[in-house]
Amino acid sequence: MASVPGQRVAVIGGGGNVGASTAFALIAKGIPVEVLIVDVSEKAALGQALDISDASFMMPGTCRQATFKEAGQADVIVVTAGARQMPDEPRSNLIDRNYAIIKSIMDSLQPIKSTAKILMVSNPVDVLTHIAQTTSGLPREQVLGSGTYLDSGRLCNALSDITGVSPTSIHAYMLGEHGDNQFTGWSAARIGGRPLLDHPKLQGVDLESINKKIAHKAYDIIDAKGSTYFGIGMCAATIAEALLNNTSQVFPLVHYVESFGCYMSWPGAIGSDGVEQSFDVKLDASENEKLYVAIKAIKEACAKYT
């Protein structure tokens, strides 16, 4: 029998669509890791684990059902559990419903491995990452959230369609809040080492319409099929991979930004210790106004759960 990989990633809420998509992406990416599926519905967790394990026979990773206690000793703990966002419902409405869920999860994971990293995916992720840190007892740099990584990927895909350049070669971020107050950092965006907005194919393009389309895409998906999961599952798996492999890659994700005094979606480099660096993004005046609107909304929400 093949040996079990030494590193573990636990997926809390793995019985659901987002959790299962994250677990499957971890296996499909060929990461040599043991994936633990945990859910309050043990039957759903078992079903997903058995199904995903069928996809692992040609991959170095393995997948099985596990308990909350086992999950607390994982190297990376991905939390996807939470109340589902309804069509046209602002992410902020989920806070009260999800606070009790997140606190219960953190209590069930105890004692949490001191070197573990917690990756929050549940919405509203900026506020719930703050709640996860305060209830888990882990240092701030070890608790992060998926943030606007997926939104930024959607942005780069849209810009790729316009410019004809690969989305991986476009450096542009959605920033501030993963929610209705997110905005595009157009002035800081780059392509081929030059300002993105200097690209000839972007001249005369309605930037605000792009921003609105990106910000609303999740609602379009929810309206059409009930929830989003494939995109965010791949994003969560990619962040987990960077944490495991100590890559120091930069992602637009939720982490505590000292200069702003709160958890928010902002570019940060991550490695085996969690968030290693946070970057100073140069924005123009109008973008800074949007930034502080987002920060104010996050701080007001977090103040209720300190």
Side-chain angles (χ1 to χ4, degrees):
M1 182 177 178
S3 62
V4 175
Q7 296 191 100
R8 287 180 173 178
V9 175
V11 182
I12 311 299
N17 288 332
V18 174
S21 296
T22 300
F24 176 74
L26 286 163
I27 295 298
K29 283 170 68 68
I31 305 170
V33 66
E34 183 181 27
V35 180
L36 308 181
I37 303 290
V38 182
D39 202 287
V40 290
S41 172
E42 294 184 3
K43 185 175 182 179
L46 177 60
Q48 298 287 21
L50 291 173
D51 195 11
I52 294 169
S53 69
D54 281 348
S56 70
F57 74 93
M58 64 182 74
M59 295 296 180
T62 63
C63 183
R64 67 176 175 87
Q65 182 187 13
T67 66
F68 280 92
K69 293 294 184 183
E70 287 177 295
Q73 297 305 302
D75 299 286
V76 177
I77 303 167
V78 183
V79 180
T80 67
R84 176 179 293 187
Q85 186 177 4
M86 304 305 291
D88 296 320
E89 180 185 20
R91 293 182 178 94
S92 57
N93 283 10
L94 297 174
I95 300 175
D96 287 336
R97 287 196 281 151
N98 277 331
Y99 172 76
I101 295 173
I102 299 305
K103 187 178 185 305
S104 175
I105 288 170
M106 295 304 148
D107 289 344
S108 299
L109 293 172
Q110 298 293 343
I112 299 175
K113 186 178 180 178
S114 63
T115 58
K117 271 67 67 179
I118 294 177
L119 172 59
M120 295 298 299
V121 178
S122 309
N123 281 315
V125 68
D126 305 270
V127 179
L128 294 186
T129 303
H130 163 83
I131 291 171
Q133 191 274 320
T134 58
T135 55
S136 69
L138 291 179
R140 284 173 174 166
E141 64 270 15
Q142 291 175 221
V143 184
L144 54 151
S146 54
T148 53
Y149 182 27
L150 175 56
D151 304 286
S152 298
R154 291 168 176 158
L155 173 65
C156 290
N157 273 340
L159 293 172
S160 176
D161 290 340
I162 296 171
T163 63
V165 175
S166 168
T168 60
S169 294
I170 298 173
H171 303 285
Y173 299 132
M174 302 295 288
L175 299 168
E177 176 195 46
H178 175 60
D180 298 328
N181 291 313
Q182 67 181 289
F183 66 95
T184 307
W186 292 114
S187 60
R190 295 290 182 270
I191 183 171
R194 295 181 60 81
L196 173 72
L197 297 184
D198 286 352
H199 195 283
K201 291 186 178 180
L202 282 171
Q203 305 310 304
V205 172
D206 185 350
L207 300 180
E208 187 56 32
S209 68
I210 296 175
N211 188 72
K212 289 181 179 178
K213 180 180 179 181
I214 299 306
H216 201 269
K217 187 173 183 180
Y219 295 114
D220 294 336
I221 296 172
I222 291 169
D223 180 61
K225 57 180 274 186
S227 62
T228 66
Y229 39 91
F230 291 129
I232 188 58
M234 182 60 72
C235 287
T238 302
I239 295 170
E241 182 180 26
L243 292 168
L244 292 169
N245 293 342
N246 194 32
T247 64
S248 298
Q249 287 174 269
V250 176
F251 298 92
L253 44 72
V254 176
H255 62 283
Y256 191 85
V257 183
E258 290 287 348
S259 57
F260 298 126
C262 67
Y263 272 99
M264 57 184 290
S265 296
W266 201 248
I270 60 174
S272 58
D273 292 329
V275 180
E276 300 172 335
Q277 299 182 56
S278 187
F279 294 87
D280 182 19
V281 182
K282 302 300 183 183
L283 302 172
D284 65 23
S286 64
E287 291 163 353
N288 271 315
E289 287 181 11
K290 295 174 182 177
L291 171 63
Y292 284 100
V293 168
I295 291 172
K296 183 175 183 289
I298 293 169
K299 285 186 173 181
E300 287 178 352
C302 289
K304 302 175 184 178
Y305 305 99
T306 54

